[in-house]
Amino acid sequence: NNLGNLLRESGEVAGAVQMLEEALKLEPNDAETMNNLALAYEDAGRKPDALRFYQSAIKANPRNVEAHVNLGILLMELGQKEEALTVCRQATLLKPDFVEAQFALFYTLAESGKMAEAKATASLVMQMAQQQNRPDIMRSLEAELSRRGLLF
């Protein structure tokens, strides 16, 4: 699992997929490995496989917030807005202080045209990112707000 992640992060997507598939054979019910394999499948452009493994990760561990966030974003990319919103809301309920979950909710709300709720969520994300010293989230939020003309 760790080697697969390192390969994925270094751009060796094919090697990452192979390693993570092998890791999953050794531990077939490991939600973290399923989530990581789904990320690798996404990087490889295999969105249907990614979707299936995010869902499997959540089934194996319903409290896997990272899998919820990743699934929500993928569903939004696939045009399944209401389902994406449901999954992202669930992620924020599971772990309210997980800034990535709040950011994913902001993103899905904005993409769905629910701008009032998106702005309120953006304020929360901004506050959390500052408190948690997450300049990466701040930059992503500012870029999304700017792209949508929502700077405040």
Side-chain angles (χ1 to χ4, degrees):
N1 191 10
N2 290 337
L3 182 55
N5 282 337
L6 288 173
L7 288 169
R8 189 181 70 77
E9 290 169 6
S10 67
E12 299 287 333
V13 178
V17 166
Q18 183 179 1
M19 281 296 222
L20 290 163
E21 287 173 341
E22 290 300 317
L24 198 56
K25 287 178 187 174
L26 297 173
E27 293 187 58
N29 296 316
D30 185 55
E32 184 179 345
T33 301
M34 291 175 196
N35 183 60
N36 292 334
L37 180 56
L39 286 167
Y41 281 146
E42 262 197 272
D43 291 347
R46 295 171 56 182
K47 292 185 189 240
D49 290 325
L51 184 67
R52 184 167 49 93
F53 276 93
Y54 287 138
Q55 292 167 332
S56 295
I58 292 168
K59 186 176 180 183
N61 179 3
R63 301 199 57 79
N64 186 322
V65 179
E66 292 85 359
H68 279 84
V69 168
N70 295 334
L71 176 60
I73 291 170
L74 179 58
L75 288 168
M76 182 57 67
E77 290 173 7
L78 296 173
Q80 299 176 33
K81 294 178 181 180
E82 289 306 313
E83 201 173 334
L85 279 169
T86 299
V87 171
C88 288
R89 287 185 200 282
Q90 182 65 33
T92 63
L93 292 173
L94 288 170
K95 194 171 181 184
D97 63 339
F98 189 52
V99 69
E100 287 87 346
Q102 297 292 345
F103 182 85
L105 179 59
F106 155 74
Y107 175 77
T108 56
L109 288 164
E111 287 291 307
S112 298
K114 299 178 188 287
M115 301 316 286
E117 195 177 352
K119 280 184 80 169
T121 305
S123 293
L124 176 62
V125 171
M126 190 175 298
Q127 178 183 15
M128 290 174 68
Q130 289 171 344
Q131 289 172 346
Q132 297 175 19
N133 192 25
R134 294 293 306 274
D136 57 323
I137 296 290
M138 287 297 296
R139 283 190 299 274
S140 295
L141 179 63
E142 288 167 358
E144 283 296 318
L145 291 170
S146 176
R147 184 171 75 86
R148 298 167 195 288
L150 293 175
L151 291 177
F152 45 94

